[in-house]
Amino acid sequence: MALAVHLLSCLLGTGSWVAINGLWVELPLIVPEAPEGWDLPAHLTLLIQLANAGPLAVALLHRLRPQWLHEPGLIGGLAGLGALACLLLAFLWRARVVVGGSPRSLALLVLLFCLALVDCTSSVTFLPYMRRFPAPFLTSYFVGEGLSGLLPGLVALGQGAGAVRCVNGTQPEYLPPRFSVTLFFLFLAAMMGLCLAALIGLQQLPAARRERAKEQSQARAPVEERPMMGSVPSAGRLSWARAAAVFGLLGWANALSNAVLPAVQSYSCLPYGRAAYHLAATLAALANPLACFVGMALPSR
């Protein structure tokens, strides 16, 4: 039964970033159809940054109503919103409206913002919930978080895009993907549905309840009675200069990986065609979870 709890923890983790990771690998097929064209990745990057209002709201809740952060209803609402947004995207991603005299993908952009809000907020809500369980289940959650980038990337590789054949020896013709963008969004909706089902299982499954009760009893036990988890020396406080350097490097790395490079990827790959753009976006999504798995096997502190 503990294996079932590990599996549910992993499924919960897959819903943390599967929607946005899936969007990045599907952009090469959406860009040619959207009126925003090659500007769409820059629009998506901006929407993701605006969606960080979600974690800021959670930080405010942590000060005013900290108990709300541990409520399953908040996490279930996020997973449900993500599943609904993916389902609507499957049928509305091509919809256009005229704004300011120009066609715009208003439904696509609004739903993309909803998904970005779900994924950004999941980082500061899912983890507090998983603290109710013993530490080994948190590892399973992080494995699922890595799969949230790996699975959409593998599906996108199977989907294929940008394959070219020559017509009459000179005219290039792009071959269609093996399945449509609509089916890909339905796959993302199913993944978010599994995340919601995993949360319900973690709440209702008797084995999960026993694991939560075990963790609560250990947390209430005196320090000398708790099981030893290894000898970890207490770290001293960082100096202001070193803390500024650490956070500066962290901010610079995140700015490159989450804002600068994704926003210009469509332009950097444009001279090489849609096949290069599709492979670059897909392999970028695969790199992060693979690096996380390597880090789990070869920790470097």
Side-chain angles (χ1 to χ4, degrees), residues 15-16 44 63 66 70-71 141 149 210 216 220 226 237 267 299:
S16 58
L44 178 56
R63 298 287 297 180
H70 302 277
E71 290 297 328
Y141 170 84
R210 288 194 296 270
Q216 291 171 2
R220 288 192 296 266
R226 296 178 189 175
R237 295 179 62 87
Y267 298 101

Side-chain angles (χ1 to χ4, degrees), residues 71-87:
E71 290 297 328
L74 176 60
I75 304 173
L78 289 173
L81 177 61
L84 179 61
C86 290
L87 185 62

Side-chain angles (χ1 to χ4, degrees), residues 119-144:
D119 288 6
C120 290
T121 311
S122 71
S123 298
V124 291
T125 53
F126 284 28
L127 281 176
Y129 174 78
M130 288 303 301
R131 287 180 61 188
R132 297 182 174 191
F133 296 89
F137 298 103
L138 188 61
T139 302
S140 299
Y141 170 84
F142 282 125
V143 170

Side-chain angles (χ1 to χ4, degrees), residues 59-213:
L60 184 61
L61 279 177
H62 183 73
R63 298 287 297 180
L64 301 178
R65 295 287 188 273
Q67 68 276 10
W68 287 9
L69 300 182
H70 302 277
E71 290 297 328
L74 176 60
I75 304 173
L78 289 173
L81 177 61
L84 179 61
C86 290
L87 185 62
L88 292 176
L89 273 173
F91 304 101
L92 298 177
W93 70 275
R94 276 180 172 163
R96 302 182 181 186
V97 296
V98 177
V99 178
S102 302
R104 295 292 180 186
S105 304
L106 184 60
L108 175 65
L109 294 175
V110 170
L111 293 172
L112 291 184
F113 175 76
C114 292
L115 290 179
L117 186 65
V118 169
D119 288 6
C120 290
T121 311
S122 71
S123 298
V124 291
T125 53
F126 284 28
L127 281 176
Y129 174 78
M130 288 303 301
R131 287 180 61 188
R132 297 182 174 191
F133 296 89
F137 298 103
L138 188 61
T139 302
S140 299
Y141 170 84
F142 282 125
V143 170
E145 197 173 72
L147 291 176
S148 69
L150 182 62
L151 293 179
L154 293 177
V155 172
L157 283 177
Q159 183 183 23
V164 181
R165 67 180 179 185
C166 288
V167 179
N168 297 327
T170 57
Q171 183 68 31
E173 178 184 0
Y174 286 98
L175 301 179
R178 295 182 180 89
F179 54 88
S180 66
V181 175
T182 296
L183 288 178
F184 187 86
F185 280 130
L186 290 176
F187 160 74
L188 294 182
M191 292 294 298
M192 293 303 300
L194 285 175
C195 173
L196 180 58
L199 175 65
I200 296 174
L202 289 173
Q203 280 297 112
Q204 302 299 329
L205 192 68
R209 292 180 178 178
R210 288 194 296 270
E211 295 294 344
R212 288 203 304 271

